Amino acid sequence: MSLSNALTNAVSGLVAASRGTEVVASNLANAATPGYARRELQMAARPLVSGGGGVHVDGAVRMVQGAVLAQARLAGAETARAETLAGFHKSVSDAIGVPGEAGSLTTLLSQLDGALVAAAARPESEAGLSQAVSAARDLARAYNTLGAHVQDARSAADRAIGADVEALNSGLKRMAELNRQITVQMAGGKDSNALQDERQRIIDGLSLVVPLKELPREGGRVALFTAEGGVLLDGFTPASLEFTAVGLVTADMSAGSPALGLLRLNGEPVPPGQMGRFAGGRLAANFQIRDLDSPLAQARLDAAAADLHDRFAAVTPNPTAGAIASGLFTDAFSGAPGLAQRIVVSAAVDPAAGGAVWRLRDGMGAAAPGPVGNADLLMRMQEALGGLRAAPGIGAVPRSAASLAAELTSLAASGRLSAERDVTTATAQSSTYDTMLRQDGVDSDREMETLLALERAYASNAKVLQTVDDMIQTILRLT
């Protein structure tokens, strides 16, 4: 080998070691950067005849386990879906409360039962009658609050859908632009790794909204599909998603009604039956809350409120009065969705509304007080709470009012526990894939070992350069 070839080999070694050191430094600096993929320097032997021998640096390659990354995204989407649903069910369960807890539905119903028993024991006592009216008012307000809470959650889900659709459109547009830039960079032989890191970070974020599958295309581009096959990006023009949030969702609104919009894909509405293309992820969870879980919770509350209304309407001593106005609890829009939000104590017994508490003893339609010792109506009201009735919407089995409230509490708690189990399962799976991704990520110990190897290679090649220089100097002195 000639001295010139030895010099060329040593210089190429120095260049490779220098580039390797740059890659290691980049890995260490970006160890905590979201979306960053560890780089490895790719090198190849340079033919002696063409370049004088030595080593050729092909470039820095991103080290990504594609299969693991794909599964991690799907697991992350499932975790986002489960957490969103669990948050809703927890809020409903917390709002209903647990038996024995102050302010819970079962506790307030028990207080009304106790107040009616005390009032029947001393029907002449206005204090006792006032306490019973107050307990009834507290129970009605609890239903009002619960119904409003469910619709607030529904409105929040509707707004979240709008925000997620906006994020999807923004991310897909950025993805299309990155595809163009990466194609240009690679065609020009330039390093596009930083752009690919950004693209991966965007896909990771979007996959929490809708589970995504990434497929490679020519020129470094990628195509994006939902996990169920919906096309979001395949080329340089992304799909267009549209959704208009209504702001305030009421109990009478349903999916597809003029006021409660659907998701639109490329200008075409996606009916509920076709939402399977976007199954999984936060977007699907919020649609489920808005269109299924919240209406179901509202229907159960309405059924319980209707049962309460009907129990007291059935014991009125005034058969000529209308069914809506004759009971202790009234509803101005009987039969319409949202009864839980509207049910109130009859104005006839509410002093704040011009009523009088003695009507609780003598009847809602009574024009004047009756015998103060007559506890018949009060006892029948208390018996009505314990009577067995079926509540359509909750179950066909006849129950007392206390059992019905306990069933409502149990259903909410069961929904919460089921949702939390889903979160636990999804989180465990997601953590497993995250651990696998980290194993292929930046390991500082491994990077330092690589750096030491590069240092030795640099020193060795520098020693070759020094030796060649000494030999050349010796030759020059001899001549």
Side-chain angles (χ1 to χ4, degrees):
M1 177 183 290
S2 66
L3 290 181
S4 61
N5 281 344
L7 186 62
T8 300
N9 287 343
V11 170
S12 69
L14 290 176
V15 171
S18 177
R19 183 68 189 280
T21 303
E22 178 185 339
V23 170
V24 170
S26 177
N27 286 340
L28 291 172
N30 289 281
T33 301
Y36 181 83
R38 180 175 63 88
R39 272 60 155 168
E40 282 190 3
L41 194 65
Q42 299 295 303
M43 296 178 291
R46 191 164 57 188
L48 178 64
V49 294
S50 61
V55 63
H56 178 266
V57 177
D58 293 331
V61 179
R62 299 174 74 248
M63 305 305 296
V64 178
Q65 299 183 60
V68 175
L69 179 60
Q71 291 300 317
R73 286 171 176 164
L74 294 178
E78 176 59 22
T79 300
R81 186 196 71 84
E83 288 177 345
T84 302
L85 292 175
F88 167 76
H89 287 289
K90 179 180 183 300
S91 70
V92 172
S93 179
D94 289 345
I96 291 176
V98 297
E101 182 182 52
S104 70
L105 200 59
T106 53
T107 299
L108 292 172
L109 190 60
S110 176
Q111 289 173 353
L112 174 59
D113 183 71
L116 287 173
V117 170
R122 296 190 59 192
E124 76 285 355
S125 172
E126 285 210 5
L129 295 173
S130 296
Q131 184 63 33
V133 171
S134 178
R137 187 187 299 114
D138 289 343
L139 182 59
R141 287 174 177 170
Y143 274 110
N144 299 159
T145 301
L146 285 171
H149 177 84
V150 168
Q151 293 307 315
D152 286 345
R154 201 178 181 201
S155 298
D158 190 65
R159 292 191 297 271
I161 292 170
D164 282 340
V165 168
E166 184 178 348
L168 275 173
N169 282 326
S170 176
L172 290 174
K173 288 179 181 178
R174 180 56 181 157
M175 280 287 302
E177 179 61 27
L178 285 171
N179 270 346
R180 292 189 188 92
Q181 294 177 7
I182 290 170
T183 299
V184 171
Q185 290 284 87
M186 295 183 69
K190 298 180 181 179
D191 188 352
S192 64
N193 285 334
L195 295 175
Q196 293 183 54
D197 285 341
E198 183 182 357
R199 186 172 65 186
Q200 178 177 321
R201 180 183 59 80
I202 292 174
I203 297 174
D204 290 345
L206 295 182
S207 65
L208 299 178
V209 179
V210 176
L212 299 176
K213 289 185 177 179
E214 174 186 349
L215 295 179
R217 293 290 189 259
E218 67 280 357
R221 296 184 295 110
V222 297
L224 286 183
F225 301 85
T226 68
E228 300 301 324
V231 182
L232 296 180
L233 176 65
D234 193 2
F236 296 113
T237 303
S240 175
L241 297 165
E242 300 173 34
F243 180 82
T244 303
V246 301
L248 179 63
V249 181
T250 56
D252 59 318
M253 294 181 181
S254 60
S257 65
L260 201 56
L262 300 174
L263 182 68
R264 299 178 70 88
L265 177 62
N266 296 324
E268 295 295 327
V270 183
Q274 297 181 18
M275 281 299 294
R277 285 181 288 172
F278 298 90
R282 199 168 56 227
L283 183 68
N286 281 313
F287 268 110
Q288 180 176 335
I289 291 171
R290 192 197 70 169
D291 299 338
L292 297 176
D293 291 0
S294 286
L296 177 59
Q298 179 72 59
R300 288 171 174 170
L301 289 173
D302 286 351
D307 175 79
L308 184 68
H309 171 276
D310 294 345
R311 285 176 186 273
F312 286 93
V315 296
T316 176
N318 184 5
T320 62
I324 296 176
S326 61
L328 177 58
F329 296 95
T330 64
D331 168 30
F333 306 97
S334 181
L339 170 62
Q341 288 92 306
R342 300 189 307 267
I343 191 169
V344 294
V345 171
S346 173
V349 298
D350 189 355
V357 295
W358 51 262
R359 288 196 177 93
L360 189 65
R361 176 192 64 215
D362 301 322
M364 302 299 143
V372 295
N374 182 11
D376 178 66
L377 182 59
L378 291 169
M379 288 189 293
R380 286 197 287 131
M381 284 184 177
Q382 193 275 327
E383 289 171 358
L385 283 177
L388 302 181
R389 292 172 55 94
I394 297 182
V397 178
R399 297 181 178 88
S400 66
S403 296
L404 186 61
E407 179 70 12
L408 199 63
T409 303
S410 177
L411 287 171
S414 296
R416 174 181 180 173
L417 291 174
S418 177
E420 289 178 346
R421 282 196 298 269
D422 290 345
V423 170
T424 301
T425 302
T427 300
Q429 187 177 32
S430 185
S431 297
T432 299
Y433 286 116
D434 286 343
T435 299
M436 295 173 67
L437 284 175
R438 283 195 296 271
Q439 290 174 352
D440 199 45
V442 177
D443 183 341
S444 57
D445 291 339
R446 180 172 56 188
E447 296 299 328
M448 293 308 297
E449 291 176 1
T450 302
L451 189 62
L452 290 174
L454 290 169
E455 182 182 9
R456 290 192 294 270
Y458 192 94
S460 298
N461 283 285
K463 185 65 175 177
V464 171
L465 280 178
Q466 182 63 50
T467 302
V468 170
D469 181 66
D470 291 344
M471 294 174 68
I472 291 175
Q473 293 300 326
T474 300
I475 292 173
L476 291 175
R477 284 195 298 270
L478 290 176
T479 58

